[in-house]
mmCIF file of all heavy atoms in Angstrom:
data_model
loop_
_atom_site.group_PDB
_atom_site.id
_atom_site.type_symbol
_atom_site.label_atom_id
_atom_site.label_comp_id
_atom_site.label_asym_id
_atom_site.label_seq_id
_atom_site.Cartn_x
_atom_site.Cartn_y
_atom_site.Cartn_z
ATOM 1 N N GLY A 221 27.054 110.838 148.766
ATOM 2 C CA GLY A 221 28.100 110.931 149.803
ATOM 3 C C GLY A 221 27.741 110.229 151.078
ATOM 4 O O GLY A 221 28.422 110.315 152.056
ATOM 5 N N GLY A 222 26.600 109.522 151.039
ATOM 6 C CA GLY A 222 26.196 108.722 152.211
ATOM 7 C C GLY A 222 25.221 109.403 153.177
ATOM 8 O O GLY A 222 24.843 108.812 154.187
ATOM 9 N N GLN A 223 24.770 110.634 152.850
ATOM 10 C CA GLN A 223 23.779 111.328 153.696
ATOM 11 C C GLN A 223 22.361 111.024 153.253
ATOM 12 O O GLN A 223 22.110 110.693 152.114
ATOM 13 C CB GLN A 223 24.020 112.838 153.576
ATOM 14 C CG GLN A 223 25.393 113.321 154.055
ATOM 15 C CD GLN A 223 25.513 114.790 153.923
ATOM 16 O OE1 GLN A 223 24.583 115.523 154.309
ATOM 17 N NE2 GLN A 223 26.632 115.280 153.399
ATOM 18 N N THR A 224 21.468 111.098 154.212
ATOM 19 C CA THR A 224 19.973 111.005 153.973
ATOM 20 C C THR A 224 19.364 112.310 154.098
ATOM 21 O O THR A 224 19.629 113.036 155.078
ATOM 22 C CB THR A 224 19.401 109.975 154.972
ATOM 23 O OG1 THR A 224 19.933 108.709 154.809
ATOM 24 C CG2 THR A 224 17.873 109.888 154.719
ATOM 25 N N VAL A 225 18.590 112.688 153.200
ATOM 26 C CA VAL A 225 17.869 113.963 153.094
ATOM 27 C C VAL A 225 16.362 113.638 153.192
ATOM 28 O O VAL A 225 15.828 112.935 152.365
ATOM 29 C CB VAL A 225 18.173 114.758 151.827
ATOM 30 C CG1 VAL A 225 17.430 116.088 151.863
ATOM 31 C CG2 VAL A 225 19.647 115.017 151.681
ATOM 32 N N ALA A 226 15.698 114.216 154.198
ATOM 33 C CA ALA A 226 14.262 113.886 154.392
ATOM 34 C C ALA A 226 13.407 115.138 154.203
ATOM 35 O O ALA A 226 13.572 116.144 154.917
ATOM 36 C CB ALA A 226 14.076 113.312 155.761
ATOM 37 N N GLU A 227 12.457 115.058 153.262
ATOM 38 C CA GLU A 227 11.435 116.099 153.033
ATOM 39 C C GLU A 227 12.000 117.517 153.065
ATOM 40 O O GLU A 227 11.495 118.388 153.742
ATOM 41 C CB GLU A 227 10.311 115.967 154.122
ATOM 42 C CG GLU A 227 9.515 114.695 154.050
ATOM 43 C CD GLU A 227 8.593 114.655 152.856
ATOM 44 O OE1 GLU A 227 8.104 115.762 152.441
ATOM 45 O OE2 GLU A 227 8.357 113.539 152.289
ATOM 46 N N HIS A 228 13.056 117.730 152.260
ATOM 47 C CA HIS A 228 13.641 119.043 152.208
ATOM 48 C C HIS A 228 12.985 119.793 151.045
ATOM 49 O O HIS A 228 12.806 119.356 149.990
ATOM 50 C CB HIS A 228 15.205 118.955 151.965
ATOM 51 C CG HIS A 228 15.879 120.210 152.125
ATOM 52 N ND1 HIS A 228 16.174 120.767 153.365
ATOM 53 C CD2 HIS A 228 16.343 121.128 151.251
ATOM 54 C CE1 HIS A 228 16.836 121.942 153.224
ATOM 55 N NE2 HIS A 228 16.940 122.209 151.964
ATOM 56 N N GLU A 229 12.581 121.082 151.396
ATOM 57 C CA GLU A 229 11.893 121.889 150.333
ATOM 58 C C GLU A 229 12.904 122.673 149.486
ATOM 59 O O GLU A 229 13.746 123.375 149.994
ATOM 60 C CB GLU A 229 10.891 122.830 151.019
ATOM 61 C CG GLU A 229 9.729 122.081 151.662
ATOM 62 C CD GLU A 229 8.609 123.013 152.175
ATOM 63 O OE1 GLU A 229 8.787 124.238 151.938
ATOM 64 O OE2 GLU A 229 7.656 122.579 152.705
ATOM 65 N N LEU A 230 12.736 122.473 148.150
ATOM 66 C CA LEU A 230 13.519 123.222 147.208
ATOM 67 C C LEU A 230 12.643 123.880 146.134
ATOM 68 O O LEU A 230 11.577 123.360 145.846
ATOM 69 C CB LEU A 230 14.502 122.242 146.535
ATOM 70 C CG LEU A 230 15.533 121.580 147.379
ATOM 71 C CD1 LEU A 230 16.309 120.552 146.547
ATOM 72 C CD2 LEU A 230 16.494 122.578 148.045
ATOM 73 N N CYS A 231 13.104 124.979 145.612
ATOM 74 C CA CYS A 231 12.387 125.673 144.575
ATOM 75 C C CYS A 231 13.205 125.593 143.303
ATOM 76 O O CYS A 231 14.399 125.942 143.262
ATOM 77 C CB CYS A 231 12.169 127.095 144.971
ATOM 78 S SG CYS A 231 11.373 128.074 143.686
ATOM 79 N N LEU A 232 12.521 125.067 142.239
ATOM 80 C CA LEU A 232 13.240 124.995 140.911
ATOM 81 C C LEU A 232 12.758 126.250 140.079
ATOM 82 O O LEU A 232 11.610 126.322 139.686
ATOM 83 C CB LEU A 232 12.771 123.655 140.196
ATOM 84 C CG LEU A 232 13.450 123.430 138.816
ATOM 85 C CD1 LEU A 232 14.947 123.374 138.912
ATOM 86 C CD2 LEU A 232 12.871 122.168 138.223
ATOM 87 N N ARG A 233 13.742 127.087 139.758
ATOM 88 C CA ARG A 233 13.410 128.235 138.966
ATOM 89 C C ARG A 233 14.125 128.146 137.541
ATOM 90 O O ARG A 233 15.314 127.810 137.476
ATOM 91 C CB ARG A 233 13.902 129.523 139.658
ATOM 92 C CG ARG A 233 13.129 129.791 140.921
ATOM 93 C CD ARG A 233 13.659 131.058 141.637
ATOM 94 N NE ARG A 233 12.825 131.351 142.787
ATOM 95 C CZ ARG A 233 13.191 132.215 143.746
ATOM 96 N NH1 ARG A 233 14.344 132.854 143.679
ATOM 97 N NH2 ARG A 233 12.392 132.464 144.727
ATOM 98 N N THR A 234 13.353 128.403 136.558
ATOM 99 C CA THR A 234 13.871 128.412 135.198
ATOM 100 C C THR A 234 13.516 129.687 134.520
ATOM 101 O O THR A 234 12.593 130.425 134.859
ATOM 102 C CB THR A 234 13.364 127.219 134.324
ATOM 103 O OG1 THR A 234 11.972 127.398 134.205
ATOM 104 C CG2 THR A 234 13.569 125.896 135.125
ATOM 105 N N ALA A 235 14.284 129.964 133.389
ATOM 106 C CA ALA A 235 13.996 131.220 132.686
ATOM 107 C C ALA A 235 12.732 131.163 131.883
ATOM 108 O O ALA A 235 12.131 132.234 131.561
ATOM 109 C CB ALA A 235 15.156 131.549 131.797
ATOM 110 N N THR A 236 12.265 129.945 131.550
ATOM 111 C CA THR A 236 11.102 129.830 130.659
ATOM 112 C C THR A 236 9.801 129.535 131.431
ATOM 113 O O THR A 236 8.688 129.781 130.894
ATOM 114 C CB THR A 236 11.333 128.693 129.660
ATOM 115 O OG1 THR A 236 11.601 127.483 130.355
ATOM 116 C CG2 THR A 236 12.487 129.056 128.776
#
Side-chain angles (χ1 to χ4, degrees):
Q223 299 180 43
T224 297
V225 180
E227 294 289 327
H228 191 78
E229 292 189 2
L230 297 175
C231 176
L232 180 61
R233 292 178 178 168
T234 66
T236 56

